[in-house]
Amino acid sequence: MDTSVMITLGFLVFAIVMFAWEKIPLSITAMIVAVGLHLSGVLSAKDAFAGFVDPNVLLFMGMFVIGAAFFETGVAVEVGNVVHKFAKTETSLLVAVMMITGILSGFLSNTGTAAVLIPVIIGICKKSGFKQTKLLMPLVFAAAMGGNISLIGAPGNMIAQAGLQQAGLGSFGFFDYGLVGLPILIVGTIFYATIGKRFLPDAPSHQPDGAFEGNDDYSHVPSWKKWISALVLILTVVAMIFEKQLGVKLYVSAWVGALVLVATNVISETAAVKSIDMKTIMLFAGSMALGDAMVKTGTGAVVADFIVNSLGASPSPIIVLVVIFVLGVFMTNFMSNTATCALLVPIGLSLASQLGFDPKAVLAAIVIASSLAYATPIGMPANTMVYNIAGYSFMDYVKAGLPLIVVSSIVALVLLPILFPF
C-alpha cells in the first residue's frame, strides 16, 4: 500500500477517534489533520488550507453576517412571532421546518437553504421558548434529505448523471431521485415528530457561539434598519434561486448582501466580523483537507475497491446494493457527498459493467447513500454551521443522526430494488 494512503488512513482514524472523544475542540482536531497532512507530504500547503477559500466557507461568512443583521435588528424574532401563530407546538413547528427546508433544498443549495432559515428558527425559539437544540439539527438533516428530490438538488446528483451520460448509458429524469428522496424526507420528518424526538439533545453540550445570542429587546432599532435587513435577506434568497440565470455564484450573492448591510450601517463592521464563527470555518476547512487527501491519494478508492473486490466473482444484486450503500453512507459522513459520489460513481459503473447490472440502479444507490451524512458535524456544510450555533457535541450528531440513517436506509433499500431494479 502506498505510503500516502497509509498516512491518510492514519489521519482518518485519528480524526474519528478525536472527534468522538472531544478532549480537544473539533476545530483544532480538524486543523491538526490539515497541518499534519501537509507536514507529512500528503498535501501541498495550498491544498491543505484550500478549505478557507472554498465556496461553502465564503457562503458561510456572508450568511453569518446577513443572519446576524436579521437577528440583531429583531426581524428574526418578528418572523418568529408570525410563524408561532400557526405552529403552536414544538412538534408541529418541527414538521413544518423539515418539510419546508426539504422542499426548498430540492431546488436550491442545501447549505444556502439552511443558512437562510437558521436565524429564523432561532428567532422562533426565542419567542416561543422552544429548544434550539431540538430544531436546528432536524433543519440541516432535512436540507440533506431534500437534496434528493430533484436532479439539481445536490452536486453529487449531477456527478452521477454526468458519469452515466459519458458512458453512453442514458440519463436520469429530473425527479427520478425524488422517487426515493421524497419518501425519505416524509418518513424522516414523521420519525422526528414521533420516536426520533428523544434522540435530539435537550440542551447544548457546550456554550453556544455566534451572533444569535443576546438582548431580546429590539424596540430601539430604527424601522429602516429592519426593512433593509429583511429586504437584503429576501433579495439574497431570490438571487440564490436564480443563480444560473444571473450568472452570480451563491457566495457572491451572500457577500453582496453582507456588504450592503455593513455599508448602510444596519450592522456595524465590528458586529459583522464578530458574527463570522471561525470555529465553524476551521472545522470545515480542516475536514475538507482530509476529504481532499482521500481523493488525491486514492485512499477512498482503495477502501472502496477492497470492499467491492471482497464480494467475489458473482455476488447477489441485493448484497452488492447493501454493500455499496453502506460504503457510501460511511464515506459521506467523513467526506463531502460530492467527493463521495466522485469516488464511487466510476467504481459503480465499472462494477455494473463487470456484473451485468443496470448502471442506473447502482448509481441511484450511490447518490442516495451519499446524502445520508447525518452522523457527524463534518458530514455536510450545513451540519457544521449549526455545530457551534446550537452548542452541539460530536456525539449529539451520532445519537440523533445514526437512527435517522437507519430509518432512511431501510426506506431506500426497500424502494431502490423496486424502482431501480438491478
Side-chain angles (χ1 to χ4, degrees):
M1 191 182 291
D2 187 83
T3 306
S4 61
V5 172
M6 293 179 69
I7 292 170
T8 304
L9 280 173
F11 275 113
L12 174 63
V13 172
F14 169 78
I16 293 170
V17 171
M18 294 305 291
F19 282 160
W21 195 27
E22 240 175 319
K23 282 295 179 184
I24 58 175
L26 266 60
S27 58
I28 303 303
T29 295
M31 290 310 301
I32 288 171
V33 170
V35 172
L37 287 166
H38 168 57
L39 293 178
S40 60
V42 174
L43 293 178
S44 67
K46 184 179 179 182
D47 288 339
F49 292 90
F52 285 100
V53 288
D54 180 80
N56 281 311
V57 165
L58 295 170
L59 177 62
F60 286 175
M61 293 170 74
M63 291 308 300
F64 275 138
V65 176
I66 292 174
F70 194 65
F71 192 82
E72 211 174 83
T73 55
V75 180
V77 175
E78 289 184 16
V79 171
N81 292 344
V82 174
V83 174
H84 184 52
K85 290 177 183 175
F86 300 97
K88 295 290 187 184
T89 67
E90 197 169 72
T91 302
S92 62
L93 179 60
L94 184 146
V95 170
V97 164
M98 288 190 72
M99 291 306 297
I100 290 167
T101 304
I103 290 165
L104 283 175
S105 72
F107 306 96
L108 299 174
S109 150
N110 299 354
T111 312
T113 302
V116 166
L117 292 176
I118 285 165
V120 177
I121 299 308
I122 293 171
I124 294 169
C125 290
K126 283 194 167 289
K127 163 65 183 174
S128 61
F130 297 152
K131 295 173 180 174
Q132 289 177 200
T133 50
K134 292 282 191 186
L135 292 167
L136 290 179
M137 208 176 273
L139 164 70
V140 296
F141 291 168
M145 288 187 268
N148 285 328
I149 288 178
S150 78
L151 188 62
I152 62 170
N157 301 9
M158 294 303 296
I159 288 172
Q161 176 81 319
L164 204 59
Q165 290 173 338
Q166 283 168 3
L169 298 168
S171 60
F172 288 103
F174 190 77
F175 288 113
D176 276 1
Y177 298 130
L179 297 172
V180 181
L182 187 59
I184 286 176
L185 173 63
I186 292 168
V187 172
T189 302
I190 293 168
F191 169 71
Y192 275 131
T194 53
I195 306 165
K197 280 189 294 189
R198 71 187 67 178
F199 299 114
L200 295 166
D202 277 315
S205 297
H206 64 82
Q207 183 61 38
D209 293 333
F212 307 128
E213 299 295 317
N215 188 8
D216 291 337
D217 179 18
Y218 304 101
S219 57
H220 63 286
V221 179
S223 294
W224 65 268
K225 285 192 175 186
K226 295 185 177 186
W227 280 106
I228 291 177
S229 174
L231 193 60
V232 163
L233 181 66
I234 291 166
L235 291 177
T236 302
V237 174
V238 170
M240 287 179 176
I241 294 170
F242 295 104
E243 178 191 11
K244 288 184 175 61
Q245 292 88 332
L246 293 171
V248 179
K249 298 287 186 185
L250 298 181
Y251 61 90
V252 177
S253 297
W255 269 101
V256 169
L259 292 171
V260 166
L261 291 168
V262 177
T264 55
N265 203 33
V266 171
I267 185 171
S268 69
E269 180 191 13
T270 303
V273 171
K274 278 180 67 177
S275 74
I276 298 171
D277 185 359
M278 282 305 298
K279 292 179 186 177
T280 297
I281 290 170
M282 286 165 64
L283 173 57
F284 184 77
S287 303
M288 271 198 68
L290 179 59
D292 192 31
M294 289 183 71
V295 175
K296 288 185 173 167
T297 62
T299 304
V302 167
V303 173
D305 283 338
F306 172 76
I307 292 171
V308 169
N309 291 337
S310 66
L311 293 174
S314 54
S316 154
I318 295 299
I319 296 294
V320 172
L321 171 64
V322 171
V323 168
I324 283 182
F325 199 88
V326 171
L327 177 61
V329 170
F330 173 78
M331 290 174 71
T332 198
N333 277 282
F334 296 96
M335 301 168 60
S336 74
N337 74 319
T338 310
T340 302
C341 280
L343 277 172
L344 293 182
V345 161
I347 293 169
L349 286 170
S350 170
L351 188 69
S353 173
Q354 288 172 25
L355 300 176
F357 295 157
D358 182 351
K360 283 181 78 171
V362 177
L363 295 196
I366 289 170
V367 166
I368 300 298
S370 299
S371 69
L372 307 188
Y374 314 135
T376 69
I378 61 169
M380 52 188 171
N383 284 16
T384 313
M385 277 196 87
V386 297
Y387 170 74
N388 280 314
I389 290 172
Y392 291 132
S393 69
F394 183 88
M395 291 309 297
D396 286 338
Y397 286 86
V398 175
K399 290 172 187 172
L402 271 182
L404 182 60
I405 287 175
V406 172
V407 169
S408 301
S409 297
I410 291 169
V411 174
L413 292 172
V414 168
L415 292 178
L416 281 167
I418 296 169
L419 299 167
F420 299 96
F422 273 48

